Amino acid sequence: MNAVSSAGPGGKRSPARLPVLPLRDVVLFPAMAATLYVGRARSVAALEQAVKHGNLVLVVTQKSAKVDDPEPSDLHHAGAVARLLQNSPMPDGTRKILVEGLHRARAARIHARGPCFEADVEEIAEIAPDDLETHALIASTAKSFSEYASLNKRLSNEAVNAITASSSSVSAYSDFLAANLNARIEDKQALLEEPDARRRLEKVYELMQQEIEILQLEGRIRSRVKKQMERSQKEYYLNEQMAAIQKELGERDEFRSELAELEEKIESRPISGEAREKCRRELRKLKMMSPMSAEATVVRNYIDWVISLPWNEKTEDKVNIEEAEKLLNREHFGLRKVKERIIEYLAVEKLTRRAGDGPILCLAGPPGVGKTSLARSIASATGRKFVRVSLGGVRDEAEIRGHRRTYIGAMPGKIIQSLRKAGSNNPVFLLDEIDKMSTDFRGDPASALLEVLDPEQNKNFVDHFLDLDYNVSECLFITTANNIHEIPAPLRDRLEIIRLSGYTDLEKEAIALRYLIPKQFEATGLADAAPRFSREAIQFIIHRYTLEAGVRGLDREIASICRKLAIEQLKKKLEPNARITRRGVVRMLGAPRYQRQERAPRDEIGIATGLAWTELGGTLMKVEVSAMPGHGRLTVTGQVGNVMQESAQAALSYLRTRAEVLGLSHLFNEALDVHIHVPEGSIPKDGPSAGITMATAMISELTQIAVHADLAMTGEINLRGRVLPIGGLKEKVMAAHRAGLKRVIFPAENRKDLRDIPRRVRDAMELIPVSHMDEVLQLALGQDELRKHLDRQRGARVTGFQPSSSTRN
Ligand code: ADP
């Protein structure tokens, strides 16, 4: 039996009869240890039996793994005798065992009686040739194995090492390989049953080759799948890129067609030759640029501006003087003189415009007197477009003339912007509030404006942004101002000033009834419901909710009422032909906002009523004086300006020179402090026209004669007591009228202004021209009172100054 190797490390011969341990799915090879889980009753019994047999069992494999309770016929009879190395019970009642195969064996017979199968065991003799062929086979198998091991990721490193180490014995090597081969159970069983180790190794080699092929195939498939995935990913990216490129190309196309369109416009639009040349140059630059770049946007914007300006487009002038007159009358109440001046202006314009150097109209007056709306009417009367530029608060020349294109976000100035808006180069161009422009380090907007208005220069007006000559001389410029004294002098020289001074209450009432209310009814959809405002209600709004020379506030209040009426109508609460009374006004506008300016209820010492002009119209101005022993100081309080301070000084100096005549010299022998206060200190006041008022109040205080309360006055005073002319007589008289005063003293030199005052007001008042302060005193204090005062002074022994406050009522 020399060809039979001693199987198993122990080399022990097994006894003739051994318990049988059937396995499913596993073939145990000699020289191989395996951990197994044993649960079936017969198998557990077999383990117990093994103890009696020196821990030996015959391990065989079931023919079918599916059979749970196999009969002897269900088992392969060839198997391996194995030694039980470990046998540990598990918590679930099964056993975990470690067995080691010893040698091949066959069950000659299996006995099924008893708790486990037992077999009569015959050893299978192992044939292990030891020749060149066998060694060559081992060598090539080893080579294949290393390939196999590299492909089969499931083979552990230890297993590989153990297998390699066993390669010196063909028997062990073939069994080790067989045990670790990923082969079918039948193939493994066949390997176990093969007693010839070389033949066995040949079969292993064959199986391994197959296995390698399968693994290689798997590998190829895997890498193909991977490649496939990579490719589809790549395709995705390429597609994305393609889309981006196509978009870019599309934009290029778009850009190209945009350029073509621009070019077409540059060539076809009626722009000046210089402008066309410039645009062509810019377009050439644009073509070289990336369409999305910032510079391209700048250039595009520039060309856009140039080609959209009305270089030659104009509306046809249709000045028909009669028509224009009718239109102005239809759209504006009153303002007779203003309308006449406008018509004259238009007539002259029509005749001389071609010569191109008429003066520029300036509508001057407080807000809300219809300056803007007159300008609009002029536009519609002449068939021109209308544009308006507000110059209030403009301090930067660039606002008029534009920013150079090098600035980010540069734009043309207001002039060019408005012309584009107008869409014609000959609109009526309203320059609103030219008195509210100011000058600072950013240049002088007034001088830019002067250039716009100057017929010598405005044919070639240059906006910094456009940087091209533009002819603005076709525009009909009209300016407005609240205060003509604030207009920069060089500009004022170019203007023909038309004053609008504000409306009387009756005029306001008429404007409300005829224009403002119908307009607001129209705007709020109330025209059909036709509610009516009572005259009393309108007067109430004028007096108690507005304080203005114009009608803007009145318009606003009426609009507010109309909106509330519209809501009432929607809620079906508005009766047809409802009448709006004072009560309705209070309900809708809330409590009245202003106290009515009224004359003082009685004559008072040291208090005189003056009249002041403000941008909002005329207003009453009380002047209060008190005098007391002191150091000869004059104090003026109540937010009064320098001119008015000086005027107070002048009044006091006059008084001193007249002290003798007025019987006051004894007072001036003492050092006397005089305090002049002009109440309502929150309103700044200035100007010389309060001169006679301050003088009157002072003399009243010093003589202790009360000033007549039905009297108001205005006039400048000089040191000799002469009364000098003032401005704004109309507004002042109207303010006095509104306040219920009956008499107004005014400088005789202002007589010419009387005709501006509405007849109704003139007739209702006593307007008294004066040239000297003596006349003022006689009117204000009364001749009799003055005489009595002088008599008293001559008769009385003068003891000193008596403070006036104690004798005031
Ligand atoms: P301004 O430009 O002087 O500040 P607006 O022209 O804006 O004043 O006038 C304010 C409102 O008063 C406008 O609705 C205008 O139509 C109206 N208005 C002013 N005066 C008259 C008038 N005499 N006749 C009719 N409506 C007038």
Side-chain angles (χ1 to χ4, degrees), residues 502-518:
Y503 299 115
T504 64
D505 297 347
L506 277 181
E507 283 171 328
K508 288 183 184 176
E509 181 188 308
I511 292 172
L513 280 171
R514 285 193 222 167
Y515 295 89
L516 307 181
I517 294 174

PDB file of all heavy atoms in Angstrom, residues 502-518:
ATOM      1  N   GLY A 502     -52.340 135.517  -7.096  1.00  0.00           N
ATOM      2  CA  GLY A 502     -53.195 134.807  -6.145  1.00  0.00           C
ATOM      3  C   GLY A 502     -54.629 135.259  -6.282  1.00  0.00           C
ATOM      4  O   GLY A 502     -54.904 136.294  -6.879  1.00  0.00           O
ATOM      5  N   TYR A 503     -55.498 134.485  -5.746  1.00  0.00           N
ATOM      6  CA  TYR A 503     -56.917 134.719  -5.965  1.00  0.00           C
ATOM      7  C   TYR A 503     -57.609 135.227  -4.716  1.00  0.00           C
ATOM      8  O   TYR A 503     -57.207 134.919  -3.592  1.00  0.00           O
ATOM      9  CB  TYR A 503     -57.584 133.402  -6.397  1.00  0.00           C
ATOM     10  CG  TYR A 503     -57.016 132.842  -7.680  1.00  0.00           C
ATOM     11  CD1 TYR A 503     -56.341 131.627  -7.692  1.00  0.00           C
ATOM     12  CD2 TYR A 503     -57.162 133.538  -8.877  1.00  0.00           C
ATOM     13  CE1 TYR A 503     -55.822 131.106  -8.866  1.00  0.00           C
ATOM     14  CE2 TYR A 503     -56.646 133.015 -10.063  1.00  0.00           C
ATOM     15  CZ  TYR A 503     -55.969 131.814 -10.045  1.00  0.00           C
ATOM     16  OH  TYR A 503     -55.463 131.309 -11.205  1.00  0.00           O
ATOM     17  N   THR A 504     -58.673 135.986  -4.937  1.00  0.00           N
ATOM     18  CA  THR A 504     -59.536 136.353  -3.812  1.00  0.00           C
ATOM     19  C   THR A 504     -60.408 135.149  -3.488  1.00  0.00           C
ATOM     20  O   THR A 504     -60.494 134.205  -4.262  1.00  0.00           O
ATOM     21  CB  THR A 504     -60.469 137.518  -4.188  1.00  0.00           C
ATOM     22  OG1 THR A 504     -61.330 137.051  -5.230  1.00  0.00           O
ATOM     23  CG2 THR A 504     -59.709 138.724  -4.657  1.00  0.00           C
ATOM     24  N   ASP A 505     -61.047 135.239  -2.327  1.00  0.00           N
ATOM     25  CA  ASP A 505     -61.906 134.122  -1.922  1.00  0.00           C
ATOM     26  C   ASP A 505     -62.985 133.862  -2.953  1.00  0.00           C
ATOM     27  O   ASP A 505     -63.337 132.719  -3.227  1.00  0.00           O
ATOM     28  CB  ASP A 505     -62.566 134.421  -0.570  1.00  0.00           C
ATOM     29  CG  ASP A 505     -61.513 134.548   0.510  1.00  0.00           C
ATOM     30  OD1 ASP A 505     -60.356 134.163   0.237  1.00  0.00           O
ATOM     31  OD2 ASP A 505     -61.848 135.037   1.608  1.00  0.00           O
ATOM     32  N   LEU A 506     -63.511 134.956  -3.502  1.00  0.00           N
ATOM     33  CA  LEU A 506     -64.588 134.774  -4.470  1.00  0.00           C
ATOM     34  C   LEU A 506     -64.083 134.121  -5.743  1.00  0.00           C
ATOM     35  O   LEU A 506     -64.738 133.268  -6.329  1.00  0.00           O
ATOM     36  CB  LEU A 506     -65.242 136.117  -4.800  1.00  0.00           C
ATOM     37  CG  LEU A 506     -66.302 136.560  -3.795  1.00  0.00           C
ATOM     38  CD1 LEU A 506     -66.907 137.886  -4.238  1.00  0.00           C
ATOM     39  CD2 LEU A 506     -67.399 135.512  -3.640  1.00  0.00           C
ATOM     40  N   GLU A 507     -62.873 134.537  -6.141  1.00  0.00           N
ATOM     41  CA  GLU A 507     -62.284 133.897  -7.317  1.00  0.00           C
ATOM     42  C   GLU A 507     -62.055 132.411  -7.061  1.00  0.00           C
ATOM     43  O   GLU A 507     -62.336 131.561  -7.903  1.00  0.00           O
ATOM     44  CB  GLU A 507     -60.948 134.567  -7.681  1.00  0.00           C
ATOM     45  CG  GLU A 507     -61.119 135.890  -8.391  1.00  0.00           C
ATOM     46  CD  GLU A 507     -59.802 136.646  -8.538  1.00  0.00           C
ATOM     47  OE1 GLU A 507     -58.918 136.516  -7.657  1.00  0.00           O
ATOM     48  OE2 GLU A 507     -59.664 137.370  -9.526  1.00  0.00           O
ATOM     49  N   LYS A 508     -61.550 132.131  -5.876  1.00  0.00           N
ATOM     50  CA  LYS A 508     -61.321 130.725  -5.534  1.00  0.00           C
ATOM     51  C   LYS A 508     -62.626 129.942  -5.591  1.00  0.00           C
ATOM     52  O   LYS A 508     -62.666 128.819  -6.107  1.00  0.00           O
ATOM     53  CB  LYS A 508     -60.724 130.605  -4.132  1.00  0.00           C
ATOM     54  CG  LYS A 508     -59.282 131.048  -4.032  1.00  0.00           C
ATOM     55  CD  LYS A 508     -58.785 130.817  -2.625  1.00  0.00           C
ATOM     56  CE  LYS A 508     -57.369 131.344  -2.450  1.00  0.00           C
ATOM     57  NZ  LYS A 508     -56.900 131.210  -1.065  1.00  0.00           N
ATOM     58  N   GLU A 509     -63.663 130.567  -5.060  1.00  0.00           N
ATOM     59  CA  GLU A 509     -64.959 129.894  -5.047  1.00  0.00           C
ATOM     60  C   GLU A 509     -65.404 129.588  -6.474  1.00  0.00           C
ATOM     61  O   GLU A 509     -65.837 128.478  -6.787  1.00  0.00           O
ATOM     62  CB  GLU A 509     -65.984 130.787  -4.350  1.00  0.00           C
ATOM     63  CG  GLU A 509     -67.360 130.191  -4.244  1.00  0.00           C
ATOM     64  CD  GLU A 509     -68.357 131.232  -3.717  1.00  0.00           C
ATOM     65  OE1 GLU A 509     -68.075 131.835  -2.665  1.00  0.00           O
ATOM     66  OE2 GLU A 509     -69.385 131.432  -4.380  1.00  0.00           O
ATOM     67  N   ALA A 510     -65.230 130.577  -7.338  1.00  0.00           N
ATOM     68  CA  ALA A 510     -65.649 130.391  -8.730  1.00  0.00           C
ATOM     69  C   ALA A 510     -64.811 129.308  -9.407  1.00  0.00           C
ATOM     70  O   ALA A 510     -65.336 128.461 -10.138  1.00  0.00           O
ATOM     71  CB  ALA A 510     -65.526 131.714  -9.490  1.00  0.00           C
ATOM     72  N   ILE A 511     -63.499 129.331  -9.141  1.00  0.00           N
ATOM     73  CA  ILE A 511     -62.631 128.307  -9.749  1.00  0.00           C
ATOM     74  C   ILE A 511     -63.042 126.920  -9.256  1.00  0.00           C
ATOM     75  O   ILE A 511     -63.127 125.968 -10.024  1.00  0.00           O
ATOM     76  CB  ILE A 511     -61.147 128.583  -9.424  1.00  0.00           C
ATOM     77  CG1 ILE A 511     -60.693 129.860 -10.129  1.00  0.00           C
ATOM     78  CG2 ILE A 511     -60.266 127.409  -9.843  1.00  0.00           C
ATOM     79  CD1 ILE A 511     -59.317 130.350  -9.731  1.00  0.00           C
ATOM     80  N   ALA A 512     -63.351 126.836  -7.958  1.00  0.00           N
ATOM     81  CA  ALA A 512     -63.770 125.550  -7.409  1.00  0.00           C
ATOM     82  C   ALA A 512     -65.033 125.068  -8.104  1.00  0.00           C
ATOM     83  O   ALA A 512     -65.113 123.927  -8.558  1.00  0.00           O
ATOM     84  CB  ALA A 512     -63.986 125.668  -5.907  1.00  0.00           C
ATOM     85  N   LEU A 513     -66.009 125.953  -8.187  1.00  0.00           N
ATOM     86  CA  LEU A 513     -67.304 125.538  -8.745  1.00  0.00           C
ATOM     87  C   LEU A 513     -67.202 125.181 -10.221  1.00  0.00           C
ATOM     88  O   LEU A 513     -67.788 124.207 -10.676  1.00  0.00           O
ATOM     89  CB  LEU A 513     -68.335 126.657  -8.553  1.00  0.00           C
ATOM     90  CG  LEU A 513     -68.941 126.732  -7.151  1.00  0.00           C
ATOM     91  CD1 LEU A 513     -69.770 128.001  -7.012  1.00  0.00           C
ATOM     92  CD2 LEU A 513     -69.790 125.503  -6.863  1.00  0.00           C
ATOM     93  N   ARG A 514     -66.443 125.998 -10.959  1.00  0.00           N
ATOM     94  CA  ARG A 514     -66.451 125.800 -12.407  1.00  0.00           C
ATOM     95  C   ARG A 514     -65.402 124.811 -12.891  1.00  0.00           C
ATOM     96  O   ARG A 514     -65.578 124.204 -13.936  1.00  0.00           O
ATOM     97  CB  ARG A 514     -66.206 127.129 -13.105  1.00  0.00           C
ATOM     98  CG  ARG A 514     -67.430 128.004 -13.061  1.00  0.00           C
ATOM     99  CD  ARG A 514     -67.271 129.134 -14.014  1.00  0.00           C
ATOM    100  NE  ARG A 514     -67.739 130.350 -13.397  1.00  0.00           N
ATOM    101  CZ  ARG A 514     -67.497 131.552 -13.886  1.00  0.00           C
ATOM    102  NH1 ARG A 514     -66.749 131.677 -14.958  1.00  0.00           N
ATOM    103  NH2 ARG A 514     -67.985 132.616 -13.298  1.00  0.00           N
ATOM    104  N   TYR A 515     -64.314 124.707 -12.168  1.00  0.00           N
ATOM    105  CA  TYR A 515     -63.214 123.876 -12.689  1.00  0.00           C
ATOM    106  C   TYR A 515     -62.859 122.701 -11.781  1.00  0.00           C
ATOM    107  O   TYR A 515     -62.870 121.565 -12.206  1.00  0.00           O
ATOM    108  CB  TYR A 515     -61.960 124.729 -12.914  1.00  0.00           C
ATOM    109  CG  TYR A 515     -62.165 125.774 -13.981  1.00  0.00           C
ATOM    110  CD1 TYR A 515     -62.655 127.031 -13.660  1.00  0.00           C
ATOM    111  CD2 TYR A 515     -61.877 125.481 -15.313  1.00  0.00           C
ATOM    112  CE1 TYR A 515     -62.864 127.993 -14.637  1.00  0.00           C
ATOM    113  CE2 TYR A 515     -62.072 126.431 -16.294  1.00  0.00           C
ATOM    114  CZ  TYR A 515     -62.569 127.692 -15.952  1.00  0.00           C
ATOM    115  OH  TYR A 515     -62.758 128.622 -16.933  1.00  0.00           O
ATOM    116  N   LEU A 516     -62.558 123.025 -10.532  1.00  0.00           N
ATOM    117  CA  LEU A 516     -61.998 121.973  -9.677  1.00  0.00           C
ATOM    118  C   LEU A 516     -63.023 120.889  -9.370  1.00  0.00           C
ATOM    119  O   LEU A 516     -62.736 119.699  -9.480  1.00  0.00           O
ATOM    120  CB  LEU A 516     -61.454 122.570  -8.382  1.00  0.00           C
ATOM    121  CG  LEU A 516     -60.460 123.718  -8.556  1.00  0.00           C
ATOM    122  CD1 LEU A 516     -59.968 124.230  -7.202  1.00  0.00           C
ATOM    123  CD2 LEU A 516     -59.266 123.281  -9.401  1.00  0.00           C
ATOM    124  N   ILE A 517     -64.245 121.309  -9.001  1.00  0.00           N
ATOM    125  CA  ILE A 517     -65.244 120.308  -8.614  1.00  0.00           C
ATOM    126  C   ILE A 517     -65.654 119.445  -9.810  1.00  0.00           C
ATOM    127  O   ILE A 517     -65.610 118.206  -9.711  1.00  0.00           O
ATOM    128  CB  ILE A 517     -66.456 120.994  -7.933  1.00  0.00           C
ATOM    129  CG1 ILE A 517     -65.978 121.614  -6.612  1.00  0.00           C
ATOM    130  CG2 ILE A 517     -67.570 119.991  -7.684  1.00  0.00           C
ATOM    131  CD1 ILE A 517     -67.025 122.450  -5.911  1.00  0.00           C
ATOM    132  N   PRO A 518     -65.996 120.051 -10.955  1.00  0.00           N
ATOM    133  CA  PRO A 518     -66.328 119.182 -12.099  1.00  0.00           C
ATOM    134  C   PRO A 518     -65.180 118.230 -12.445  1.00  0.00           C
ATOM    135  O   PRO A 518     -65.415 117.061 -12.754  1.00  0.00           O
ATOM    136  CB  PRO A 518     -66.571 120.176 -13.240  1.00  0.00           C
ATOM    137  CG  PRO A 518     -66.950 121.445 -12.572  1.00  0.00           C
ATOM    138  CD  PRO A 518     -66.202 121.472 -11.274  1.00  0.00           C
TER     139      PRO A 518
END
